[in-house]
């Protein structure tokens, strides 16, 4: 797997160290390779920003555009990229939540903390990338749906309705089968007749899960496992 | 001495097959709730073998002279003990205790069942009732036959016992048996066994059918008394343990709260001083001697810096807790990173905030102390809002094995019970707000994730 890494840092020594860590990581993990993009100020990466990076390491204190401001602007175009602040100013990094950067690395940076953080990031990138395409046969066509786009699957008698954000598809199949197919993709059987994609759960109100514009009943007996699954899923993303 | 005719034994004594199945079920019932030595499949496999051994043993014991009857009972007790001892991780003491419980329960259930069945047979009610006591094997071998009513009674009895056991096992750490519990159990068992069987064995003449019911009755009653005695003892231990736990948790929380208030006060003082210092700096700035001036300013500035709060989470209580732990974190070379917006956690009471965060950080520090390489002493705290929940995620690296006891986490800390309460105290606080706490231990990271639903306006 090749990952695009941007290092935005005005201190040349620090850039050198980070690069050497990445190279060491690459050596220790055979199937990972990094492609580097180095910027010596925030302003350089955000002018003409393209969402091509997997990981951005961002210094906080920089001359023209500081790390937090840079991150804000990056987030306007790229919501997925992993942003990790590298700083000796924890009092600023604490605000990372506003740009969805929930981890930061403290200078002086030992290799261990670096490699653990990178491993976690890679795990997350892999998770994000693993969507499953399912092929469904409707009455007059065959269609490919990305599991990410499914809000939930509903079972009515012997039919299934696959609800996506814009559309829905009716097929003749069992919910159990889809539960098995999608079991590694954070779908939860909240009820006998619903298989819910946790990614699209907007909230939980009493015994209902809010999914898209739908309010789906969570069976009382399934509530605990549903919540546990949801909390684990949310926790993984933090 | 015992002048009991064989046919009388057949009628008055509980059929051996009933006793052996009851003994097996009772033993199996407790093993199910024990810390098992082997996997479930092996445990079930060996249990099936032991069922066969029980039945065969009792069947064989039937051919023994009646003088050896008590000895036979003793041997069957030993068999039960071996079954428990071999399949569980428990010591001789605990295994003996479990065996006594199982023995008295098996006597009780077999006795009640046989009493009922005998009553139905003797009174010869109607076809429906006959079906209940009928068993297809009866004609072939009376001593190996079981009836429908037996199956119903046994199933009912253990189903009723199940919730009790669940409750004890959930709240106590398995079987919490001390030597005096075992002594009480032994005395009870001997008394129950001798009273119930004395009256049975002391009959000198072939007895009339009216007397049979009385003998059954005594037997069931005495077994019932034994059962109630042992279970009220367990109930007593259970509630004593509960009270102790609540006390401990409360004391721990009080401690943490006091600590919290002390740091709160010191931070207030510091804040006041901070103002004074600022004022001072103004004065110094007017100092004419340049060198003196600079020296003073740097000195004061540095002293301010060291007392300044590093972590501002937008929740004063959490700030105080994190900052009060800073010294301990620094002392132990723990590298903490905090990304947090706890602004919306204001609906949670101070005491619960203290319970959640003090325990979380203390647990993490305890576990990180055991990590040898200082570079690996990493602790991360994140508090974010997501999908109508406040998510609190606390992760620390760990190296030593973590013991997991029935879903409760006990760390490697020597005082492991105390530690378990920390997690439970957090859980308790989280549940007050309909929140949820999950724990994950993979890749050498101990991760606690808490989700608390935000109250809807």
């Amino acid at each position: 797997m090749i990952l695009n890494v941007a290092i935005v840092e005005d201190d040349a020594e620090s850039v050198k160290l980070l690069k050497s860590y990445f190279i060491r990581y690459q050596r220790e993990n055979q199937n990972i390779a990094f492609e580097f993009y180095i910027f010596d100020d925030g302003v350089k990466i955000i002018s003409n920003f393209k969402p091509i990076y997997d990981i951005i390491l961002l210094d906080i204190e920089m001359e023209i555009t500081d790390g937090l401001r840079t991150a804000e602007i990056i987030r306007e175009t790229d919501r997925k990229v992993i942003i990790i602040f590298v700083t000796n100013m924890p009092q600023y990094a604490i605000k990372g939540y506003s740009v969805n950067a929930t981890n930061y690395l403290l200078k002086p940076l030992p290799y261990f903390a670096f490699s653990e953080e990178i491993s976690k990031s890679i795990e997350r990138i892999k998770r994000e990338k693993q969507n499953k395409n399912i092929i469904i046969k409707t009455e007059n066509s065959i269609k490919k749906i990305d599991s990410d786009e499914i809000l939930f699957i509903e079972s009515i008698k012997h039919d299934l309705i696959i609800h996506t954000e814009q559309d829905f598809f009716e097929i003749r199949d069992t919910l159990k089968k889809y539960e098995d197919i999608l079991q590694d993709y954070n779908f939860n059987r909240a009820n006998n007749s619903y298989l819910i994609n946790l990614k699209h759960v907007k909230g939980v109100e009493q015994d209902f899960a809010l999914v898209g514009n739908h309010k789906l009943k969570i069976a009382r007996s399934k509530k605990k496992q549903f919540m546990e699954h949801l909390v684990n899923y949310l926790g993984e993303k933090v | 001495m015992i002048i009991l005719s064989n046919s009388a034994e057949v009628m008055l004594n509980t059929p051996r097959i009933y006793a052996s199945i009851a003994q097996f079920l009772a033993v199996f019932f407790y093993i199910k709730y024990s810390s098992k030595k082997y996997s479930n499949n092996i445990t079930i496999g060996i249990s099936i073998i032991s069922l066969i051994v029980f039945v065969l043993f009792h069947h064989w014991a039937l051919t023994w002279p009646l003088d050896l009857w008590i000895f036979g009972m003793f041997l069957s007790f030993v068999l039960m003990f071996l079954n428990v001892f071999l399949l569980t991780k428990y010591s001789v003491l605990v295994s003996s205790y479990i065996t006594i419980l199982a023995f008295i329960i098996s006597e009780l259930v077999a006795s009640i069942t046989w009493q009922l069945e005998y009553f139905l047979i003797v009174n010869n009610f109607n076809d429906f009732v006959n079906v209940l006591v009928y068993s297809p094997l009866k004609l072939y071998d009376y001593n190996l036959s079981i009836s429908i009513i037996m199956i119903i009674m046994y199933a009912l009895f253990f189903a009723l016992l199940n919730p009790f056991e669940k409750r004890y096992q959930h709240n106590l750490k398995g079987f919490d048996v001390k030597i005096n519990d075992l002594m009480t159990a032994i005395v009870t068992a001997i008394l129950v066994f001798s009273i119930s069987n004395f009256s049975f064995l002391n009959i000198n003449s072939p007895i009339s059918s009216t007397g049979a019911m009385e003998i059954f009755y005594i037997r069931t009653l005495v077994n019932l008394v034994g059962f109630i005695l042992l279970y009220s003892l367990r109930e007593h231990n259970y509630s004593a343990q509960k009270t102790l736990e609540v006390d401990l948790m409360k004391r721990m929380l009080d401690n943490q709260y006091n600590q919290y208030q002390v740091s709160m006060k010191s931070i207030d003082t510091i804040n006041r001083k901070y103002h004074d210092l600022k004022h001072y700096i103004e004065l110094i700035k007017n100092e004419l001697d340049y060198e003196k001036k600079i020296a003073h300013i740097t000195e004061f500035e540095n002293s301010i810096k060291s007392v300044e709060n590093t972590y501002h989470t937008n929740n004063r209580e959490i700030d105080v807790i994190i900052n009060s732990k800073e010294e301990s974190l620094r002392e132990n070379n723990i590298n903490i990173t905090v990304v947090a917006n706890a602004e919306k956690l204001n609906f949670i009471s101070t005491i619960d905030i203290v319970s959640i965060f003090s325990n979380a950080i203390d647990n993490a520090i305890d576990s990180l102390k055991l990590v040898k390489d200082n570079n690996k002493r990493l602790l991360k705290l994140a508090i974010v809002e997501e999908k109508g929940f406040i998510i609190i995620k606390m992760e620390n690296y760990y190296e030593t094995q973590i013991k997991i006891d029935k879903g409760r986490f006990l760390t490697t800390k020597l005082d492991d019970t105390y530690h378990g309460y920390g997690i439970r105290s957090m859980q308790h606080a989280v549940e007050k707000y309909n929140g949820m706490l999950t724990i994950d231990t993979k890749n050498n990271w101990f991760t606690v994730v808490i989700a608390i639903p935000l109250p809807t306006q």
Side-chain angles (χ1 to χ4, degrees):
Chain A
M1 186 155 82
I2 297 170
L3 297 170
N4 289 336
V5 174
I7 301 174
V8 188
E9 163 74 84
D10 56 2
D11 175 25
E13 279 302 307
S14 197
V15 173
K16 224 169 104 188
L17 182 80
L18 286 171
K19 249 181 114 171
S20 76
Y21 280 176
F22 272 113
I23 288 162
R24 179 172 164 195
Y25 189 92
Q26 198 167 274
R27 211 168 45 233
E28 288 171 6
N29 299 272
Q30 295 298 336
N31 46 355
I32 301 286
F34 299 106
E35 187 87 43
F36 298 105
Y37 299 82
I38 315 287
F39 303 91
D40 63 10
D41 194 286
V43 73
K44 303 245 170 97
I45 188 172
I46 50 180
S47 60
N48 196 17
F49 179 81
K50 286 189 197 73
I52 54 165
Y53 311 105
D54 296 294
I55 301 171
I56 300 175
L57 296 191
L58 206 47
D59 184 15
I60 288 192
E61 269 200 319
M62 284 180 292
E63 192 108 326
I64 307 169
T65 311
D66 69 48
L68 274 164
R69 182 76 196 118
T70 306
E72 275 169 24
I73 293 165
I74 291 172
R75 280 286 177 244
E76 284 170 12
T77 34
D78 190 345
R79 298 189 40 197
K80 271 195 174 165
V81 61
I82 291 174
I83 296 177
I84 304 167
F85 289 116
V86 185
T87 183
N88 48 9
M89 308 271 243
Q91 60 270 46
Y92 296 122
I94 198 170
K95 304 273 180 231
Y97 57 85
S98 61
V99 289
N100 196 5
T102 43
N103 289 306
Y104 60 89
L105 295 170
L106 269 182
K107 287 182 195 170
L109 176 63
Y111 178 71
F112 182 77
F114 169 86
S115 68
E116 286 295 305
E117 196 56 48
I118 295 301
S119 293
K120 277 187 192 178
S121 303
I122 291 173
E123 228 177 84
R124 182 185 295 194
I125 291 166
K126 280 185 186 159
R127 253 198 327 263
E128 289 280 325
K129 283 190 175 163
Q130 66 155 202
N131 316 336
K132 179 155 186 136
N133 286 321
I134 41 178
I135 315 279
I136 56 162
K137 255 204 302 218
T138 57
E139 266 175 29
N140 38 25
S141 69
I142 290 179
K143 219 177 147 28
K144 196 168 81 178
I145 307 177
D146 184 341
S147 68
D148 246 18
E149 286 167 14
I150 299 172
L151 298 179
F152 67 101
I153 304 178
E154 184 178 12
S155 142
I156 297 174
K157 284 180 190 156
H158 298 293
D159 292 327
L160 291 183
I161 303 173
I162 299 178
H163 296 259
T164 63
E165 264 159 292
Q166 279 91 27
D167 214 342
F168 61 89
F169 308 95
E170 261 185 79
I171 51 168
R172 186 154 273 253
D173 219 321
T174 64
L175 204 51
K176 178 80 187 91
K177 186 177 143 200
Y178 280 87
E179 194 180 356
D180 292 341
I181 294 175
L182 295 167
Q183 68 165 331
D184 293 333
Y185 302 89
N186 286 312
F187 277 73
N188 188 285
R189 185 80 177 262
N191 183 316
N192 265 339
S193 42
Y194 296 127
L195 187 63
I196 299 177
N197 188 352
L198 294 180
K199 190 187 165 188
H200 292 288
V201 174
K202 285 196 242 159
V204 177
E205 263 176 26
Q206 276 112 33
D207 287 342
F208 292 93
L210 310 178
V211 183
N213 301 321
H214 306 265
K215 232 177 152 181
L216 308 178
K217 175 98 175 119
I218 305 165
R220 197 158 282 254
S221 59
K222 301 273 179 99
K223 180 84 189 272
K224 192 167 179 239
Q225 66 83 28
F226 176 83
M227 288 306 295
E228 260 170 20
H229 197 172
L230 183 65
V231 172
N232 276 331
Y233 171 75
L234 293 177
E236 264 176 8
K237 295 186 43 156
V238 174
Chain B
M1 188 182 95
I2 301 156
I3 328 162
L4 207 66
S5 73
N6 234 5
S7 65
E9 207 244 19
V10 162
M11 286 310 276
L12 289 181
N13 198 8
T14 321
R16 295 298 184 105
I17 181 85
Y18 283 38
S20 54
I21 291 176
Q23 285 175 356
F24 163 77
L25 283 176
V27 165
F28 188 72
F29 177 78
Y30 286 115
I31 289 176
K32 196 184 98 192
Y33 280 106
S34 304
S35 325
K36 295 176 225 23
K37 217 179 268 173
Y38 309 107
S39 72
N40 277 347
N41 287 342
I42 295 175
T43 307
I44 290 172
I46 295 178
S47 295
I48 290 170
I49 295 171
S50 65
L51 171 64
I52 297 168
V53 171
F54 279 26
V55 172
L56 288 180
F57 171 78
H58 279 277
H59 200 59
W60 175 48
L62 260 183
T63 61
W64 296 4
L66 277 172
D67 296 15
L68 291 178
W69 192 75
I70 288 180
F71 179 65
M73 282 314 262
F74 177 72
L75 275 188
S76 76
F77 179 84
V78 172
L79 274 181
M80 290 169 78
F81 170 81
L82 285 177
N83 198 355
V84 173
F85 189 66
L86 288 177
L87 288 179
T88 65
K89 288 180 183 162
Y90 296 132
S91 61
V92 174
L93 184 133
V94 178
S95 300
S96 312
Y97 179 78
I98 292 175
T99 311
I100 290 174
L101 276 184
F103 191 76
I104 290 187
I105 278 168
S106 70
E107 286 276 289
L108 174 65
V109 63
S111 158
I112 291 179
T113 305
W114 180 238
Q115 184 183 349
L116 179 66
E117 194 167 329
Y118 182 85
F119 175 74
L120 295 176
I121 293 174
V122 169
N123 287 296
N124 203 0
F125 285 108
N126 56 35
D127 286 349
F128 172 70
V129 175
N130 284 340
V131 168
L132 287 180
V133 294
Y134 172 76
S135 56
L137 269 171
K138 221 163 227 166
L139 295 174
Y140 168 70
D141 186 343
Y142 177 84
N143 292 311
L144 277 178
S145 64
I146 56 174
S147 64
I148 294 170
I149 190 106
M150 187 206 96
I151 297 171
I152 296 173
M153 285 293 286
Y154 282 19
L156 203 67
F157 188 85
F158 285 104
L160 284 176
L161 208 57
N162 207 31
F164 282 96
E165 204 56 37
K166 233 183 210 161
R167 188 158 145 263
Y168 295 145
Q169 296 291 339
H170 182 74
N171 289 291
L172 298 173
K173 266 202 244 144
F175 292 91
D176 192 12
V177 182
K178 286 170 202 74
I179 187 79
N180 52 340
D181 296 317
L182 180 64
M183 292 321 276
T184 319
I186 290 175
V187 172
T188 312
I190 291 174
L191 279 176
V192 165
F193 187 73
S194 41
I195 294 174
S196 71
N197 292 304
F198 227 60
S199 56
F200 164 68
L201 289 173
N202 262 346
I203 300 158
N204 281 333
S205 59
I207 41 89
S208 57
S209 56
T210 44
M213 277 322 277
E214 281 149 31
I215 288 167
F216 286 152
Y217 200 53
I218 290 171
R219 198 174 219 201
T220 304
L221 217 58
V222 171
N223 277 315
L224 188 65
V225 168
F227 169 75
I228 288 171
L229 212 67
L230 288 183
Y231 262 75
S232 51
L233 200 71
R234 290 190 87 190
E235 185 65 33
H236 171 79
N237 284 348
Y238 167 78
S239 52
Q241 178 75 21
K242 265 270 185 203
T243 327
L244 190 77
E245 258 170 39
V246 171
D247 270 7
L248 250 173
M249 245 154 77
K250 205 177 156 321
R251 217 173 321 144
M252 218 163 85
L253 199 53
D254 281 350
N255 242 332
Q256 288 164 346
Y257 190 69
N258 283 344
Q259 243 179 45
Y260 165 80
Q261 277 182 324
V262 169
S263 11
M264 185 69 124
K265 225 181 256 167
S266 61
I267 283 174
D268 279 344
T269 330
I270 287 164
N271 283 343
R272 245 178 290 129
K273 284 259 160 68
Y274 180 79
H275 270 275
D276 295 350
L277 283 173
K278 268 189 174 169
H279 188 65
Y280 252 115
I281 290 170
E282 278 306 309
L283 288 179
I284 295 165
K285 275 188 181 155
N286 298 328
E287 168 76 54
L288 288 175
D289 182 359
Y290 184 73
E291 297 230 333
K292 240 190 199 168
K293 187 162 115 174
I294 293 296
H296 276 307
I297 291 172
T298 359
E299 197 182 312
F300 277 126
E301 260 180 352
N302 284 342
S303 70
I304 292 169
K305 240 182 205 158
S306 71
V307 297
E308 215 171 14
N309 277 359
T310 321
Y311 302 105
H312 292 283
T313 64
N314 296 331
N315 178 302
R316 189 164 150 76
E317 291 140 336
I318 297 175
D319 291 355
V320 170
I321 294 167
I322 300 175
N323 289 300
S324 73
K325 306 280 180 199
E326 253 211 306
E327 202 181 308
S328 166
L329 291 167
R330 210 178 12 239
E331 263 171 24
N332 291 299
N333 291 306
I334 292 167
N335 188 321
I336 184 176
T337 64
V338 184
V339 172
N341 181 15
E343 200 179 358
K344 292 199 176 156
L345 272 181
N346 292 335
F347 66 95
I348 295 183
S349 74
T350 307
I351 194 94
D352 291 326
I353 291 276
V354 170
S355 166
I356 293 170
F357 287 91
S358 278
N359 279 311
I361 298 176
D362 288 348
N363 277 0
I365 292 176
D366 285 334
S367 140
L368 284 165
K369 271 185 201 165
L370 300 170
V371 176
K372 284 188 203 80
D373 184 350
N374 281 350
N375 280 334
K376 296 185 177 178
R377 297 188 173 180
L378 301 174
L379 173 59
K380 297 168 183 237
L381 170 66
I383 305 173
V384 296
E385 191 191 330
E386 183 86 43
K387 301 190 184 219
F389 292 97
I390 287 279
I391 310 282
I392 302 162
K393 185 177 182 179
M394 181 114 185
E395 305 166 272
N396 71 268
Y397 187 78
Y398 75 92
E399 277 172 347
T400 1
Q401 189 82 40
I402 290 176
K403 282 194 281 174
I404 302 169
D405 187 31
K406 298 207 166 130
R408 214 185 301 153
F409 281 80
L410 307 170
T411 57
T412 43
K413 212 170 136 186
L414 288 174
D415 186 8
D416 62 3
T417 32
Y418 195 63
H419 212 93
Y421 296 138
I423 297 263
R424 266 210 264 177
S425 176
M426 288 164 74
Q427 194 135 29
H428 186 74
V430 169
E431 277 166 9
K432 269 193 217 169
Y433 302 91
N434 299 317
M436 180 133 242
L437 182 153
T438 67
I439 290 171
D440 188 80
T441 55
K442 65 169 176 286
N443 299 335
N444 283 57
W445 282 87
F446 187 90
T447 308
V448 182
V449 178
I450 293 170
I452 300 175
L454 283 167
T456 39
Q457 276 84 36

